[in-house]
């Protein structure tokens, strides 16, 4: 019955994301990761079975919310958090045991959306029955709307970013075929695969952003001192072979031939930074980001996870559902707007990058 499962430290390395929501890092992973190791080692429970368990616990918490009394609200909040722990465990078990599947990802996504909608309606219905205040009807609609909005927004942003990267890679491949030019890497891929370099790069940029003005959109690997040529090649290979994870993963860098490797030895890889304007505009953000990265916390401090925890845990625990829902929803909107603004600046970097390719093509033709 036992599986050959590595020690807990190795399980953490395999299963925990390099960057995650602060609620998950601080309040879920310390419990979920040891449970994942025990589950994988001593049972044959599959990730899909854990997904079903999380969904059923979510329905139980919705039933508790519907009663409306503060005692049931506390019980519902507790069960909802257990449901979320299981929801985090399914993906970890899949990564640890290699049992992940496309259907499992779909099932997890659909059950998450149903759980949020059912719990939102049940919570507000219980409070409406308890108080008779019509604001709870509007809050129920707001919870479902905001949860749907953030997923649609995340999906569309991913599609746009993927399209930009695809177009840039197509341009570079064409240039490589014509001139055997250097390989291509995206700054975010290099930094994602080397978080320590990410921190040092951010600190260095924050210190010099107001003193120097560098061309936006295109840089060289030599500007990123902590990332060696070997790490650059590794980042490119990993980005090509790794699968997309949830709503926030992106397409990797394509390096598909020995000729490309030879070109990389001849010249440094060209690094495309589609977030350079944002980095230059907000150097203070870079310092804060470096601090969060050290603790594996992403800078998107109020995402869907924190929104759910505010509505379904903090609100019921403190018997303050209206305030918790309004504050959580407002903060979610603020951070979603920040992501949209960051995308806007990224599209400007993209335009400048494409223009630089066109200028190079004209110069080469001349």
């Amino acid at each position: 019955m036992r599986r050959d499962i590595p020690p807990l430290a190795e399980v953490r390395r395999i299963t925990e994301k390099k960057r995650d929501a602060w609620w998950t890092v601080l309040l879920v992973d310390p419990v979920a990761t040891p449970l994942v190791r025990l589950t994988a080692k001593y049972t044959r429970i599959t990730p899909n079975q854990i997904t079903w368990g999380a969904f059923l616990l979510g329905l139980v918490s919705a039933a508790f919310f519907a009663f409306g009394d503060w005692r049931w609200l506390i019980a519902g909040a507790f069960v909802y958090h257990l449901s979320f722990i299981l929801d985090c465990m399914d993906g970890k078990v899949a990564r640890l045991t290699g049992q992940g599947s496309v259907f499992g990802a779909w099932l997890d996504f659909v059950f998450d959306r149903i759980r949020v909608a059912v719990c939102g309606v049940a919570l507000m219905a219980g409070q409406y029955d308890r108080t008779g205040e019509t604001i709870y009807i509007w809050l129920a609609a707001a919870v479902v709307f905001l949860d749907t909005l953030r997923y649609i927004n995340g999906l569309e942003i991913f599609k746009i970013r993927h399209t930009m990267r695809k177009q840039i890679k197509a341009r570079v491949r064409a240039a490589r075929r014509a001139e055997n030019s250097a390989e291509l890497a995206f700054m975010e891929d290099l930094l994602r695969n080397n978080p320590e370099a990410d921190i040092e790069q951010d600190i260095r940029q924050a210190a010099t952003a107001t003193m120097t003005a560098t061309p936006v959109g295109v840089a060289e690997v030599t500007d990123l001192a902590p990332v060696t040529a070997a790490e650059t090649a590794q980042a490119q290979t990993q980005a090509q072979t790794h699968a997309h994870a949830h709503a926030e993963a992106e397409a990797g860098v394509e390096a598909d031939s020995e000729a490309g490797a030879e070109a990389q030895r001849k010249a440094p890889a060209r690094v495309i930074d589609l977030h350079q304007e944002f980095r230059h505009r907000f150097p203070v953000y870079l310092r804060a980001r470096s601090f969060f990265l050290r603790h594996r916390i992403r800078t998107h401090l109020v995402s869907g996870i924190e929104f759910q925890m505010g509505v379904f845990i903090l609100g019921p625990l403190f018997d303050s559902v209206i305030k918790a829902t309004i504050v959580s929803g407002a903060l979610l909107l603020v951070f979603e707007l920040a992501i949209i603004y960051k995308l806007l600046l990224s599209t400007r970097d993209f335009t400048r990058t494409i223009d630089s390719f066109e200028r190079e093509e004209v110069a080469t033709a001349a």
Side-chain angles (χ1 to χ4, degrees):
M1 194 72 173
R2 280 192 179 187
R3 286 176 175 160
D4 187 15
I5 301 298
L8 182 59
E10 180 67 9
V11 172
R12 292 188 188 279
R13 186 191 67 80
I14 296 172
T15 63
E16 294 180 355
K17 298 176 183 178
K18 291 182 179 180
R19 306 175 191 181
D20 211 338
W22 64 266
W23 187 283
T24 303
V25 171
L26 299 178
L27 300 176
V28 176
D29 281 350
V31 177
T33 305
L35 289 177
V36 164
R37 184 175 182 273
L38 293 175
T39 300
K41 186 171 185 177
Y42 295 106
T43 75
R44 296 294 176 182
I45 296 175
T46 66
N48 286 353
Q49 290 172 337
I50 297 176
T51 302
W52 273 100
F55 176 65
L56 294 177
L57 277 181
L59 296 183
V60 172
S61 68
F64 289 166
F65 288 147
F67 285 110
D69 183 75
W70 68 271
R71 297 178 182 85
W72 290 109
L73 290 181
I74 294 175
F78 177 75
V79 174
Y80 191 89
H81 195 250
L82 291 180
S83 171
F84 184 68
I85 290 176
L86 285 183
D87 188 40
C88 293
M89 286 178 60
D90 56 7
K92 295 180 188 297
V93 171
R95 288 189 287 274
L96 183 61
T97 62
Q99 293 179 299
S101 66
V102 175
F103 178 76
W106 174 86
L107 191 69
D108 183 57
F109 172 82
V110 172
F111 279 179
D112 281 351
R113 306 286 64 72
I114 295 175
R115 180 182 59 185
V116 172
V118 172
C119 285
V121 171
L123 176 62
M124 302 309 168
Q127 295 307 295
Y128 174 74
D129 183 65
R130 174 187 173 189
T131 65
E133 297 181 24
T134 56
I135 188 175
Y136 288 107
I137 298 175
W138 294 104
L139 289 179
V143 169
V144 176
F145 170 76
L146 289 173
D147 183 70
T148 304
L149 175 66
R150 74 181 181 88
Y151 266 96
I152 294 175
N153 185 43
L155 177 61
E156 290 303 312
I157 287 178
F158 166 76
K159 288 167 61 177
I160 292 172
R161 294 179 67 187
H162 177 70
T163 299
M164 292 191 297
R165 291 163 64 100
K166 186 176 180 181
Q167 291 185 30
I168 291 173
K169 288 188 287 185
R171 288 293 188 104
V172 171
R173 281 197 298 268
R176 187 166 63 237
R177 285 194 296 268
E179 302 178 8
N180 194 29
S181 63
E183 292 294 321
L184 170 71
F186 285 94
M187 179 73 75
E188 54 195 308
D189 289 329
L190 301 178
L191 301 183
R192 183 182 298 110
N193 285 281
N194 192 344
E196 289 303 318
D198 194 353
I199 293 169
E200 295 177 22
Q201 170 76 356
D202 285 347
I203 293 176
R204 188 162 55 253
Q205 286 191 357
T208 61
T210 58
M211 299 174 61
T212 61
T214 58
V216 176
V218 181
E220 294 293 329
V221 165
T222 51
D223 294 333
L224 188 59
V227 182
T228 65
E231 288 169 332
T232 299
Q234 181 184 18
Q236 290 174 288
T237 303
Q238 289 176 343
Q240 181 186 5
T241 57
H242 285 181
H244 294 301
H246 212 327
E248 312 188 40
E250 299 171 350
V253 178
E254 295 182 6
D256 54 8
S257 66
E258 292 182 0
E262 180 65 23
Q264 183 164 333
R265 286 192 292 271
K266 292 180 180 179
R270 187 176 205 170
V271 178
I272 305 298
D273 187 1
L274 294 180
H275 298 299
Q276 199 168 65
E277 184 174 349
F278 185 84
R279 297 173 191 272
H280 280 283
R281 287 197 178 200
F282 302 100
V284 175
Y285 161 83
L286 296 178
R287 291 188 178 277
R289 180 172 178 265
S290 298
F291 169 79
F292 288 125
L293 286 177
R294 290 189 180 95
H295 300 280
R296 208 167 54 83
I297 297 173
R298 64 191 182 197
T299 52
H300 191 60
L301 295 179
V302 182
S303 63
I305 292 174
E306 288 80 12
F307 171 68
Q308 291 179 44
M309 301 309 119
V311 174
F312 300 125
I313 294 182
L314 298 182
L317 281 179
F318 294 99
D319 197 14
S320 184
V321 174
I322 294 178
K323 292 180 180 179
T325 303
I326 292 175
V327 171
S328 299
L331 290 174
L332 177 67
L333 283 176
V334 167
F335 277 88
E336 290 299 311
L337 289 174
I339 291 178
I340 295 172
Y341 178 67
K342 188 176 181 181
L343 176 66
L344 172 63
L345 298 184
S346 181
T347 59
R348 294 177 180 174
D349 286 330
F350 168 74
T351 301
R352 281 186 281 267
T353 301
I354 294 297
D355 289 343
S356 71
F357 288 147
E358 293 177 352
R359 288 193 297 270
E360 290 174 5
E361 291 172 1
V362 171
T364 301

